[in-house]
Amino acid sequence: MLALPFDLSLVLLLVSIAFFSGIGITTIGPGGIFVTIALYSLTSLPSSQVAGTAHATFVVTGLVGSAAYLHSGEMNTGESRAIAIVLSGASILGALVGAYVNTFVPRTVFGILLGGVAMAVGGIICYRERRGFSPIYDLEPLTRPGRIVLAGLGFVLGVCSGLLGIGGPVL
């Protein structure tokens, strides 16, 4: 029989949080941050295990979400594919850097950074809902400068994601 590292009630709570986070990831994008916050606040896992476990769930939900968007036709244009490919490739490299940096970050600092990002994201969402949001940069993803900007953005998002165990949609 498989031994659980936590008591059954905690495992069920984490599974429930992961389930609803998966729904959030697939329907609106952000959602995975709740898995990271739950793992950090409800367990004594080191920050590297919190981030790594969260990333393992993101890989599966990301593949399912991508398949759903492909099936819906959302990814049928060259522009959508270019954005997805450039962002994904650069963010993978950034995630490797972020995961490496994570090994040097104490658990308490990790918690402060995670809490700060969660508060900032919540504030930005509230601001956008009340004040509206308009882009500050018109990106053309099929041009060379557009791809360079996307790659830079993907790398930075990947570093943050690898460091904190949060997904790109949250950022």
Side-chain angles (χ1 to χ4, degrees):
M1 181 163 180
L2 178 65
L4 298 175
F6 311 113
D7 64 44
L8 184 59
S9 60
L10 179 56
V11 170
L12 292 175
L13 178 60
L14 289 172
V15 167
S16 298
I17 291 169
F19 175 77
F20 288 109
S21 294
I23 291 172
I25 290 167
T26 304
T27 57
I28 59 172
I33 194 169
F34 297 115
V35 171
T36 310
I37 292 169
L39 287 170
Y40 175 79
S41 61
L42 299 175
T43 72
S44 60
L45 294 173
S47 61
S48 58
Q49 289 181 4
V50 168
T53 303
H55 273 284
T57 65
F58 299 158
V59 169
V60 174
T61 55
L63 291 172
V64 170
S66 295
Y69 283 116
L70 278 170
H71 180 70
S72 73
E74 293 288 327
M75 301 294 289
N76 286 344
T77 68
E79 185 173 274
S80 294
R81 279 196 208 112
I83 291 171
I85 290 168
V86 173
L87 276 176
S88 296
S91 67
I92 288 169
L93 293 174
L96 293 171
V97 171
Y100 176 74
V101 172
N102 177 290
T103 62
F104 300 105
V105 176
R107 191 174 196 282
T108 53
V109 173
F110 177 86
I112 291 167
L113 291 171
L114 180 61
V117 168
M119 289 190 316
V121 168
I124 290 168
I125 290 170
C126 289
Y127 177 82
R128 286 178 59 182
E129 286 299 315
R130 295 178 191 268
R131 304 269 191 210
F133 179 76
S134 59
I136 58 173
Y137 182 76
D138 187 18
L139 180 71
E140 296 180 31
L142 298 179
T143 65
R144 182 174 172 84
R147 288 183 180 178
I148 291 170
V149 170
L150 280 174
L153 178 63
F155 184 79
V156 170
L157 293 174
V159 169
C160 294
S161 180
L163 175 63
L164 296 175
I166 55 178
V170 168
L171 298 172

